[in-house]
């Protein structure tokens, strides 16, 4: 289904682009004349007052919506837990909380990525870019943020083949380079999560306080945190997958409502809806005067210097936001390599339609309404705060539009907020507490078994070799699980298994730490939001500046998954010095452009383009200096590397594992593993690379091809059109319509179908296993023909059962 959808999208795209170019590249006088006749009637020399924009959604209604969402989240989270417990029979442990069992489908992975990447800033900032720069703004926002998702698919496959047992990308850095680089990148990862959470809350609170009567910033922050915390605390990462599906569905449905209202409702009562058709919007927008950086000061052109600068900044900044954000690595961890690859590729193509269509709808609608009323609906500061969509929704649909915007923002904030809370919690639990603060056992290297401390596999001496078995085959652990499940008391019995009991107790302690981390991280969001409000930092500045702070970490992280010659000192200095170089270049360029050192001017997007130029320079310096320093220092500090050292580098990352549930158990089907007693019995790296070679190639080809298409070919074609004519604008909106409706149908139907199919299949496998254990001997042959392929007989005729 993913391949069919991709082919349909490409065919539709080329048809519409062909039709777009065929039309004359001239705006006819008939299409641009008569501006006075389409604006709102005037009274003498003055325009009539703009339609009132006071908040009309009551506080009680907003809180009721939040309460309904909260109850729904609780039901979905508990439903997910019951399905994983009784259908998939997942163990109730720490790893399951963070990887949802490691067998999430590609459809559910795609909808989760789409939901996580649909921030409040996606909806608000993309519309602000469209309102400022015109028709090219939504494209550059969508393209710049889609490219990192598509390229991340390759990185996802690399991590799942070279470090299948890792739960965070930081564990790979720890295994390869040790504690110091690990702590440095823990800082950058947490910084990324703080920036994303700040943007999330700034945008969400700005919209809610604008649309809801009597809602203060403090109450808005507390309300959002309550919803986010409940979703994360009850269901863990797995519940966020199910919630993401509903969030994505609601976002698409609300977006379609606004799309129809602006472009396809039909021209009727202009006082009720001044827009309603593509022609009407075009006529109003063509009568508006665009920014100086646009060709002929038109909003209907791709020849826009401001848009191109924003596009470059957007690409650089979003590479940092995706590659350094643990929440996207968690989605990769929760799926196998193939499912993860298809999930990220489908997510990128689907997500593109959200800012592309939504911003084209609300941003161009905002410009058209400003022309109709004779003055902008918002001030420049309000546009920078991301209030364009609420203003358009309020003007066109009144209270109903406000309610839809409140619902849409709540969905966006809940999904992304839950993912960020889980990301921060996983870093604290897995990378800070478990490795640095209170590890179960201090180990010399990752090859040592955490249960007994002895070496495993290739590094082991026969006289002193780890012989620990997996918990899956441990009879004592099975008895412990049965005793705990049958105990109805609050205090459960202790683990009695001599081999795994102490470590299982330690993991239960970590689960308690996880719960407290979720609570405290969620609560910390409230003062973070208030702090950003006090220092008066706009959503626009935070969005532009994030690439300066975290962009230098991008290439060190990429190289840590690919390049064996990379050294710890190189990635440390590359990330730190690249960040400092980015900040310095920002201050220096901003001082030169503004001809003074004034921080208030540096963080404000004024009438000129000094803000964009300084941010462009800083973002580029940060990411490219980080890459250059990392590569040069690696060559200097490690002049030669042997084949043995290369192999040992990746064996270290493959040693990352949980001995209670070793990662090879997830790959029984792929590699036909028939002996899972020893925790180090695993497929070789060559086997993993061979098995998923095709997956890796597909991810690279699709990601790189689509990247070239979006940032080179498509913009080059559009720059051939100076200013869009009405017919060309109509074709552009049709392209947006087709892409968004196709993406919406795909992302709503595919995950639902795949998840239902997976649940039904797993239920049949479970029943087959039950029948095998209960059937008489003469019925076994008949059962085997209809049973799961994972249930088979060995050479002795005895039944073998694999837990897949």
């Amino acid at each position: 289904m993913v391949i069919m959808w991709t082919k349909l999208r490409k065919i539709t795209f080329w048809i519409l682009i062909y039709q777009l170019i065929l039309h004359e590249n001239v705006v006819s006088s008939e299409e641009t004349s008569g501006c006075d006749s389409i604006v709102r009637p005037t009274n003498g020399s003055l325009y009539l007052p703009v339609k009132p924009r006071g908040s009309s959604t009551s506080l009680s209604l907003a809180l009721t919506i939040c309460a309904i969402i909260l109850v729904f989240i609780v039901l979905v989270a508990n439903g997910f837990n019951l399905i994983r417990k009784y259908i998939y029979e997942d163990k109730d442990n720490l790893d399951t909380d963070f990887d949802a069992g490691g067998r999430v489908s590609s459809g559910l992975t795609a909808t989760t990525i789409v939901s996580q990447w649909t921030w409040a800033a996606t909806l608000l900032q993309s519309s602000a870019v469209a309102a400022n720069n015109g028709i090219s703004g939504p494209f550059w926002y969508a393209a710049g943020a889609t490219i990192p998702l598509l390229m991340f698919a390759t990185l996802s496959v690399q991590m799942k083949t070279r470090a299948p047992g890792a739960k965070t990308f930081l564990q790979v850095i720890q295994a390869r380079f040790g504690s110091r680089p690990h702590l440095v990148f823990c800082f950058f990862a947490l910084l990324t999560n703080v920036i994303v959470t700040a943007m999330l809350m700034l945008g969400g609170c700005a919209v809610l306080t604008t649309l809801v009567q009597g809602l203060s910033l403090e109450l808005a922050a507390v309300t959002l945190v309550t919803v986010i915390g409940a979703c994360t605390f009850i269901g863990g990462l797995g519940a966020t997958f199910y919630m993401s599906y509903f969030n994505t569905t609601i976002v698409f449905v609300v977006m379609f409502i606004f799309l129809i209202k602006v472009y396809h409702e039909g021209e009727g009562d202009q006082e009720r809806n001044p827009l309603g058709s593509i022609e009407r919007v075009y006529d109003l927008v063509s009568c508006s005067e665009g920014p100086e950086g646009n060709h002929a000061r038109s909003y209907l052109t791709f020849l826009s210097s401001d848009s191109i600068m924003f596009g470059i900044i957007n690409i650089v900044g979003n590479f940092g936001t995706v590659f350094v954000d643990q929440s996207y690595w968690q989605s990769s961890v929760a799926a196998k390599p193939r499912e993860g690859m298809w999930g990220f590729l489908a997510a990128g193509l689907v997500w593109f339609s959200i800012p592309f269509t939504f911003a084209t709808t609300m941003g161009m609608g905002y410009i058209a309404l400003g022309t109709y009323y004779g003055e902008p609906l918002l001030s420049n500061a309000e546009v920078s705060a991301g209030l364009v969509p609420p203003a358009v929704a309020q003007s066109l649909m009144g209270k109903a539009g406000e309610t839809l915007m409140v619902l849409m923002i709540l969905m966006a904030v809940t999904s992304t907020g839950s993912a960020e809370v889980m990301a921060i919690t996983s870093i604290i639990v897995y990378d800070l507490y478990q490795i640095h603060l209170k590890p179960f056992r201090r180990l010399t290297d990752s090859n040592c078994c955490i249960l007994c401390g002895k070496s495993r596999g290739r590094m082991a001496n026969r006289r002193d070799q780890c012989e620990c078995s997996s918990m899956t085959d441990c009879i004592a652990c099975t008895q412990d699980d049965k005793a705990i499940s049958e105990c109805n008391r609050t205090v459960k019995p202790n683990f009695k298994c001599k081999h795994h009991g102490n470590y299982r107790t330690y993991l239960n302690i970590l689960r308690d730490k996880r719960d407290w981390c979720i609570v405290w991280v969620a609560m910390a969001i409230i003062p973070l939001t208030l702090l950003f409000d006090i220092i008066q930092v706009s959503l626009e500045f935070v969005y532009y500046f994030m690439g300066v702070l975290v962009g230098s970490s991008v290439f060190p992280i990429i190289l840590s998954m690919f390049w064996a010659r990379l050294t710890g000192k190189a990635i440390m200095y590359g990330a730190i010095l690249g960040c400092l170089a980015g900040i310095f270049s920002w201050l220096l360029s901003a001082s030169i452009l503004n001809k003074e050192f004034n921080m208030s001017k540096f963080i404000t997007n004024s009438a000129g383009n000094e803000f964009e130029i300084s941010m462009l320079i800083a973002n580029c310096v940060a990411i490219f200096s980080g890459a250059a320093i990392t590569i040069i220092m690696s060559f200097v500090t490690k002049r030669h590397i042997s084949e043995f050292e290369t192999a040992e580098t990746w064996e270290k990352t493959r040693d990352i594992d949980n001995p209670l549930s070793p990662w090879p158990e997830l790959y029984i089907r792929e590699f036909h593993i028939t002996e899972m007693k020893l925790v180090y019995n695993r497929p070789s790296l060559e086997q993993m690379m061979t098995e998923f070679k095709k997956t890796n190639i597909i991810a690279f080809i699709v990601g790189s091809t689509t990247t070239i298409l979006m940032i080179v070919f498509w913009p080059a074609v559009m720059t051939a059109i100076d200013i869009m004519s009405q017919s060309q604008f109509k074709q552009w909106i049709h392209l947006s319509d087709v892409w968004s409706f196709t993406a919406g149908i795909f992302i709503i139907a595919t995950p639902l179908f795949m998840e239902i199919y997976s649940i039904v299949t797993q239920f049949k496998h479970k029943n087959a296993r039950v029948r095998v254990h209960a059937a008489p001997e003469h019925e076994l042959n008949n059962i085997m023909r209809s049973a799961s392929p994972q249930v088979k007989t060995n050479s002795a005729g005895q039944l073998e059962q694999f837990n897949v």
Side-chain angles (χ1 to χ4, degrees):
M1 293 185 72
V2 176
I3 298 174
M4 290 177 62
W5 181 82
T6 304
K7 290 182 178 179
L8 177 62
R9 178 192 61 79
K10 289 183 177 180
I11 293 172
T12 305
F13 167 77
W14 288 116
I15 291 174
L16 292 174
I17 286 293
Y18 178 73
Q19 293 177 349
L20 191 65
I21 298 175
L22 281 181
H23 289 86
E24 289 187 17
N25 188 22
V26 179
V27 183
S28 66
S29 60
E30 294 179 359
E31 292 173 335
T32 57
S33 62
C35 291
D36 294 339
S37 63
I38 63 174
V39 299
R40 194 173 185 181
T42 59
N43 180 15
S45 60
L46 298 175
Y47 283 101
L48 291 176
V50 176
K51 187 180 293 184
R53 288 194 304 103
S55 57
S56 60
T57 302
S58 63
L59 180 60
S60 59
L61 176 61
L63 294 178
T64 301
I65 294 174
C66 290
I68 293 173
I69 293 175
L70 190 60
V71 172
F72 182 71
I73 287 173
V74 172
L75 294 176
V76 170
N78 283 289
F80 171 84
N81 290 334
L82 292 175
I83 290 173
R84 300 307 301 189
K85 181 177 180 180
Y86 294 105
I87 302 298
Y88 290 92
E89 298 178 317
D90 284 347
K91 298 295 183 180
D92 187 20
N93 56 39
L94 181 71
D95 282 357
T96 304
D97 293 338
F98 287 104
D99 66 5
R103 295 183 290 268
V104 176
S105 65
S106 58
L108 210 54
T109 300
T111 193
T112 302
I113 296 300
V114 171
S115 183
Q116 289 178 2
W117 203 215
T118 306
W119 306 344
T122 299
L123 307 171
L124 305 178
Q125 188 62 27
S126 62
S127 299
V129 174
N132 289 328
N133 301 328
I135 195 71
S136 61
F139 168 80
W140 281 114
Y141 189 102
T146 298
I147 290 169
L149 282 184
L150 298 174
M151 300 305 293
F152 191 85
T154 303
L155 209 59
S156 172
V157 177
Q158 285 295 316
M159 179 176 175
K160 292 297 290 183
T161 53
R162 293 185 170 179
K167 296 295 180 284
T168 69
F169 76 94
L170 297 165
Q171 288 180 312
V172 177
I173 295 176
Q174 165 68 23
R176 287 196 60 183
F177 309 113
S179 296
R180 287 186 179 180
H182 179 251
L183 289 173
V184 169
F185 278 85
C186 282
F187 168 78
F188 279 103
L190 292 173
L191 178 62
T192 303
N193 295 131
V194 170
I195 294 173
V196 173
T197 305
M199 285 194 292
L200 184 78
M201 296 300 294
L202 284 174
C205 291
V207 172
L208 294 180
T209 53
T210 300
L211 296 180
V212 180
Q213 293 178 350
L215 182 65
S216 64
L217 177 68
E218 294 80 5
L219 182 57
V222 171
T223 303
L224 292 176
V225 167
T226 302
V227 177
I228 292 170
C231 179
T232 312
F233 185 83
I234 296 173
L237 178 67
T240 63
F241 280 93
Y242 277 20
M243 274 305 304
S244 295
Y245 172 78
F246 294 103
N247 292 346
T248 304
T249 301
I250 291 175
V251 167
F252 268 98
V253 170
V254 174
M255 183 177 71
F256 292 153
I257 293 173
F258 289 135
L259 176 65
I260 293 171
K261 191 72 177 179
V262 172
Y263 289 119
H264 304 293
E265 188 181 45
E267 296 185 25
D269 184 4
Q270 291 189 4
E271 286 298 316
R272 186 179 61 85
N273 183 4
L275 308 180
S277 70
I278 299 175
E279 294 81 1
R280 178 72 176 172
V281 173
Y282 176 84
D283 291 339
L284 289 168
V285 172
S286 63
C287 291
S288 304
E289 186 179 55
E292 294 181 359
N294 286 18
H295 174 69
R297 302 202 66 171
S298 172
Y299 283 113
L300 298 167
T301 180
F302 257 70
L303 298 173
S304 171
S305 58
D306 292 341
S307 291
I308 294 174
M309 280 193 293
F310 171 79
I312 298 173
I313 297 171
N314 197 34
I315 293 171
V316 174
N318 282 308
F319 265 107
T321 308
V322 173
F323 285 39
V324 194
D325 191 338
Q326 169 58 24
S327 64
Y328 299 97
W329 293 94
Q330 280 180 183
S331 297
S332 172
V333 166
K336 290 185 178 180
R338 289 191 186 92
E339 287 76 8
M341 180 271 294
W342 286 118
F344 275 96
L345 293 179
L349 298 175
V350 169
W351 182 87
F352 178 90
S353 66
I354 295 179
F356 182 53
T357 301
F358 186 79
T360 301
T361 300
M362 306 305 275
M364 302 306 286
Y366 171 83
I367 297 170
L369 288 172
T371 303
Y372 178 76
Y373 288 118
E375 62 177 321
L377 299 181
L378 303 171
S379 65
N380 291 334
E382 289 174 321
V383 171
S384 297
L387 298 181
V388 169
V392 175
Q394 190 179 54
S395 297
L396 296 181
M397 300 180 66
K399 188 174 182 178
E402 294 177 356
T403 304
L404 288 175
M405 277 304 307
V406 169
L407 180 62
M408 198 178 198
I409 292 300
L410 282 174
M411 291 295 98
V413 171
T414 299
S415 178
T416 309
S418 299
E420 294 304 313
V421 170
M422 284 301 298
I424 296 174
T425 302
S426 66
I427 293 173
I428 294 174
V429 172
Y430 279 111
D431 293 286
L432 296 180
Y433 191 90
Q434 193 175 18
I435 293 178
H436 297 287
L437 297 179
K438 289 188 178 180
F440 176 76
R441 185 189 300 273
R442 296 282 182 182
L443 301 176
T444 56
D445 58 63
S446 58
N447 183 251
C448 295
C449 175
I450 197 170
L451 296 178
C452 63
K454 298 179 180 179
S455 296
R456 300 177 292 175
R458 71 191 187 283
M459 302 288 290
N461 187 319
R462 291 185 178 182
R463 297 180 180 178
D464 188 29
Q465 184 177 24
C466 168
E467 297 182 355
C468 295
S469 62
S470 167
M471 190 181 71
T472 306
D473 301 303
C474 181
I475 298 176
C477 286
T478 303
Q479 294 174 347
D480 285 341
D481 291 337
K482 183 178 180 181
I484 292 173
S485 62
E486 293 176 351
C487 180
N488 296 322
R489 295 177 298 175
T490 304
V491 179
K492 303 296 181 182
N494 296 325
F495 297 109
K496 296 181 180 179
C497 177
K498 297 181 180 179
H499 295 290
H500 306 108
N502 290 336
Y503 189 64
R504 296 185 71 183
T505 302
Y506 174 75
L507 293 184
N508 282 346
I509 295 174
L510 289 185
R511 290 195 71 185
D512 293 336
K513 302 296 182 183
R514 183 215 72 147
D515 294 340
W516 281 108
C517 281
I518 291 175
V519 173
W520 287 110
V521 169
M523 291 178 62
I525 296 175
I526 300 174
L528 175 68
T529 306
L530 300 180
L531 174 63
F532 273 79
D533 180 69
I534 291 173
I535 61 180
Q536 293 296 303
V537 175
S538 68
L539 177 64
E540 184 179 37
F541 171 77
V542 178
Y543 187 86
Y544 276 76
F545 196 63
M546 64 181 176
V548 180
L549 295 177
V550 303
S552 60
S553 305
V554 171
F555 277 97
I557 292 173
I558 295 174
L559 294 174
S560 69
M561 302 294 171
F562 285 90
W563 197 24
R565 190 170 179 174
L566 190 67
T567 64
K569 289 183 178 180
I571 64 170
M572 270 200 311
Y573 287 114
I576 296 173
L577 296 180
C579 177
L580 295 177
I583 296 174
F584 177 78
S585 63
W586 168 61
L587 294 175
L588 179 62
S589 59
S591 300
I592 295 173
L593 292 169
N594 289 279
K595 299 179 181 180
E596 63 176 323
F597 189 88
N598 189 332
M599 289 297 296
S600 62
K601 288 186 178 181
F602 294 173
I603 65 175
T604 305
N605 191 354
S606 57
N609 57 2
E610 294 85 2
F611 176 82
E612 289 87 353
I613 295 176
S614 63
M615 285 297 180
L616 174 63
I617 295 172
N619 275 269
C620 291
V621 168
I623 192 169
F624 291 118
S625 64
I629 294 171
T630 301
I631 294 172
I632 293 172
M633 284 202 65
S634 293
F635 280 113
V636 172
T637 56
K638 184 177 284 189
R639 294 175 179 267
H640 175 72
I641 182 171
S642 64
E643 292 184 3
F644 173 79
E645 290 175 318
T646 300
E648 185 60 25
T649 296
W650 303 123
E651 289 302 324
K652 289 179 181 178
T653 62
R654 284 158 43 81
D655 286 336
I656 305 170
D657 204 358
N658 181 353
L660 302 185
S661 53
W663 61 260
E665 292 182 357
L666 293 175
Y667 297 93
I668 291 176
R669 283 184 181 178
E670 287 83 353
F671 300 102
H672 309 290
I673 301 172
T674 58
E675 177 60 62
M676 285 303 305
K677 291 183 179 180
L678 299 178
V679 297
Y680 52 81
N681 183 23
R682 66 193 187 193
S684 66
L685 178 61
E686 290 74 18
Q687 288 177 303
M688 293 287 289
M689 299 298 289
T690 302
E691 177 68 24
F692 299 109
K693 181 179 180 180
K694 184 178 178 181
T695 303
N696 209 348
I697 293 174
I698 293 173
F700 177 77
I701 291 177
V702 175
S704 57
T705 302
T706 311
T707 297
I708 295 173
L709 174 69
M710 286 187 173
I711 66 175
V712 178
F713 186 79
W714 194 346
V717 170
M718 295 309 300
T719 52
I721 303 173
D722 290 339
I723 299 175
M724 286 186 182
S725 64
Q726 186 181 95
S727 55
Q728 290 168 339
F729 180 73
K730 186 181 296 185
Q731 293 295 332
W732 185 261
I733 299 302
H734 287 164
L735 172 63
S736 170
D737 292 348
V738 171
W739 197 313
S740 60
F741 276 101
T742 306
I745 294 171
F746 172 84
I747 205 64
I748 292 173
T750 302
L752 182 62
F753 170 79
M754 295 183 71
E755 191 65 13
I756 292 175
Y757 177 80
S758 177
I759 292 173
V760 172
T761 303
Q762 183 65 27
F763 185 73
K764 290 181 179 179
H765 290 173
K766 179 183 176 182
N767 287 343
R769 290 197 298 269
V770 172
R771 290 171 60 201
V772 167
H773 287 298
E777 184 176 352
H778 68 276
E779 296 182 3
L780 288 180
N781 291 333
N782 294 331
I783 293 176
M784 291 303 299
R785 296 190 184 98
S786 59
S788 164
Q790 281 71 49
V791 181
K792 60 181 183 179
T793 57
N794 59 22
S795 59
Q798 298 173 331
L799 285 175
E800 291 181 349
Q801 176 181 334
F802 299 140
N803 296 322
V804 179

